[in-house]
Structures are given as C-alpha cells and as structure tokens.
Amino acid sequence: MTEPSAPAPAPTDPLEPWPDTVDWRPVSRSLITVELINRAIWVVAILAGLTVGWVLTGHWSWPTGMAVVLVFAAWRSVVTVRAVKAWGYAERDNDLLVRHGLVIRRLSIVPYARMQFVDVTAGPLERAFRLATVQLHTAAAATDAKIPGLPPEEASRLRDRLTALGEDRAEGL
C-alpha cells in the first residue's frame, strides 16, 4: 500500500511564488550601461547649469550643490547595477510573471487573457546597445507590466507570443 503524497509546500515568500518551479529569465546586462549613460547625460546637464550659476554669482552654495549631485549620482549608479540584476520574467501556461525592485520588491502576474495590447519600444540609446522594452497593457492600469533590456529578437518573440496567447485566451474581447 502506498502512502499519499504530501502536498506541495506553500511558498514562504509572497514575492517568490512556487519556489523552484518558475524559470526566471534575466534582462540583458547591457541595460546597466544604458542606464548609467542616461544618468551621466543628466548629471552633466545639471552640473553645467550649477556651474553657470556658480560663475555668475560666485556663491559657495553652487559647489555644494554640485557635490550633492555627484554623491547622489554615484549612489544611484550603484543601486542601478543591483536593480537591473533584480529584473526578471517568466512565461507560464496562463500568465506572465515580472519581478523587479530592491527595497520595494514587486511581482506582477499578468494573465494572458487580460492583456489588451503589447508595446515594444526602443529609444536611441537602447537601439545603440541592441535593447528593447516590452510593455504589456491590461484593462486595469495597475496590472500593466514592463520588461526592459531585452535583445530585439527576444522582444519580438515575446511580443508575438504574448499577442497570440492573448488573442487565443481572450475573455469576451
């Protein structure tokens, strides 16, 4: 006589559903470079404005502002590296899982049947590094999900698959 199998253990972390059963895919590490270049452009623009203010007034607060901008940019750069590594997505039979965040972690579960449309975007800097962003839109704005830093081939594949699954499983649309 065989013993009944034990039920699957319940997840211990609400942000890590079904441990060891989800095949998480990371985003491209090139996204780190894109984000850092984007930040550097903004920092240079802000520092240029602060420098003009310092040259025109000579007041001590302008260099202090410059130092604050540099310290903040350095801190955000370290956080950006870790944040990009926290992005992940997983395709399952009936839904797409997207996770991201460091301090405030977020797990979005988007059922294919609830998707209305899928956007693929790539700005000039993303295109230079061969990256794209896939944005899923649902009827409820709170359940929209975005996956940045995908190679264009993967973004196209994911777009086509999500669109096909969304049409296939559409609930009354």
Side-chain angles (χ1 to χ4, degrees):
M1 189 163 145
T2 62
E3 293 184 30
S5 61
T12 56
D13 181 354
L15 295 172
E16 191 62 46
W18 314 278
D20 302 325
T21 63
V22 176
D23 181 26
W24 290 104
R25 295 182 180 184
V27 299
S28 172
R29 296 298 185 242
S30 296
L31 183 59
I32 294 170
T33 305
V34 169
E35 292 292 326
L36 293 178
I37 290 172
N38 193 21
R39 179 158 303 107
I41 291 169
W42 279 104
V43 167
V44 167
I46 293 169
L47 288 177
L50 291 171
T51 301
V52 168
W54 185 25
V55 168
L56 293 176
T57 66
H59 196 268
W60 63 269
S61 61
W62 295 102
T64 302
M66 293 156 116
V68 168
V69 167
L70 289 172
V71 167
F72 181 73
W75 173 74
R76 282 296 300 153
S77 296
V78 170
V79 170
T80 296
V81 171
R82 293 191 59 221
V84 167
K85 291 178 180 178
W87 274 100
Y89 68 99
E91 300 171 67
R92 296 193 308 168
D93 290 339
N94 295 312
D95 48 30
L96 177 76
L97 307 176
V98 180
R99 69 176 179 187
H100 63 93
L102 293 174
V103 175
I104 299 175
R105 294 174 48 205
R106 181 174 183 158
L107 171 67
S108 298
I109 302 174
V110 183
Y112 298 132
R114 303 279 296 153
M115 287 189 301
Q116 291 190 327
F117 65 97
V118 179
D119 275 337
V120 177
T121 59
L125 198 51
E126 286 176 305
R127 286 193 310 273
F129 284 86
R130 297 196 32 77
L131 296 176
T133 297
V134 174
Q135 173 91 35
L136 300 114
H137 298 275
T138 64
T143 58
D144 289 358
K146 155 176 108 162
I147 307 169
L150 296 176
E153 304 78 27
E154 174 63 7
S156 295
R157 184 202 66 79
L158 190 58
R159 176 202 60 213
D160 294 344
R161 181 170 191 274
L162 294 175
T163 301
L165 287 169
E167 290 173 357
D168 185 45
R169 294 185 169 101
E171 294 175 349
L173 293 178

